[in-house]
Amino acid sequence: MDCIFCKIVTGEIPSYKIYEDENVLAFLDITPVNPGHTLVIPKKHYKNIIDTPDELLQGMALAVKKIAPAIIKAVKADAWNLGANNGAVAGQIVMHTHWHIMPRFTNDGHHLWYGKPYADGEIAEVAQRITDNIKIR
Ligand code: 5GP
Ligand code: ZN
């Protein structure tokens, strides 16, 4: 499989690994938003969150809970963002499930996306369409 993150898992591509358990690996992003920016991935290849089995996502969430406080302490961050880009249009470049842990600092110059208001009546309609499409397992 020609996947950069699979190659990081096997060691074929070097990385600064900061956490590892049976199913999950975390390593430093090579182009960080701020120093300490970390990527958390399942060791097995899945292309995004929806494809990733529940147990693996649970493992990733628990890893984030373990790793994030250590990152914050190490780089003395004021706060942190947890991010996931799902699909090319959303900014996903590497098609192997991953979450970004991004340390943030007061006045670090980064911004969140901008919100835009709904048209009249649109919010209720969108809520209805979404709930119609949720399948409870
Ligand atoms: P995406 O845009 O897919 O959510 O994020 C992919 C991330 O992977 C980017 O932030 C990018 O800097 C990081 N990245 C891409 N190639 C490599 C690599 O070879 N090594 C490491 N450590 N990070 C990488
Ligand atoms: Zn992969």
Side-chain angles (χ1 to χ4, degrees):
M1 163 106 38
D2 196 26
C3 167
I4 294 173
F5 288 177
C6 284
K7 288 179 180 163
I8 284 177
V9 171
T10 60
E12 206 177 322
I13 293 178
S15 68
Y16 285 92
K17 296 180 181 175
I18 61 162
Y19 173 83
E20 172 164 29
D21 61 33
E22 194 188 341
N23 301 311
V24 176
L25 176 67
F27 54 94
L28 294 184
D29 193 305
I30 207 166
T31 49
V33 158
N34 280 314
H37 181 161
T38 295
L39 299 171
V40 179
I41 69 169
K43 287 183 174 173
K44 216 169 150 199
H45 183 93
Y46 295 96
K47 72 173 186 294
N48 61 36
I49 288 176
I50 291 165
D51 283 0
T52 306
D54 294 355
E55 321 76 68
L56 273 182
L57 290 174
Q58 284 163 356
M60 288 171 67
L62 294 175
V64 167
K65 208 172 163 187
K66 219 173 265 178
I67 299 161
I71 297 171
I72 301 326
K73 210 168 162 191
V75 301
K76 297 186 169 52
D78 298 310
W80 56 292
N81 290 111
L82 179 63
N85 304 321
N86 294 283
V89 171
Q92 186 178 6
I93 294 166
V94 179
M95 297 299 161
H96 180 133
T97 306
H98 58 280
W99 292 344
H100 297 253
I101 300 176
M102 295 167 282
R104 296 297 304 275
F105 300 88
T106 305
N107 299 324
D108 64 9
H110 295 298
H111 300 281
L112 293 180
W113 47 83
Y114 297 105
K116 51 187 179 186
Y118 279 105
D120 274 355
E122 190 185 9
I123 191 167
E125 190 200 318
V126 170
Q128 187 63 55
R129 284 214 307 272
I130 294 170
T131 52
D132 287 350
N133 279 285
I134 290 179
K135 295 172 185 60
I136 309 285
R137 274 178 285 174

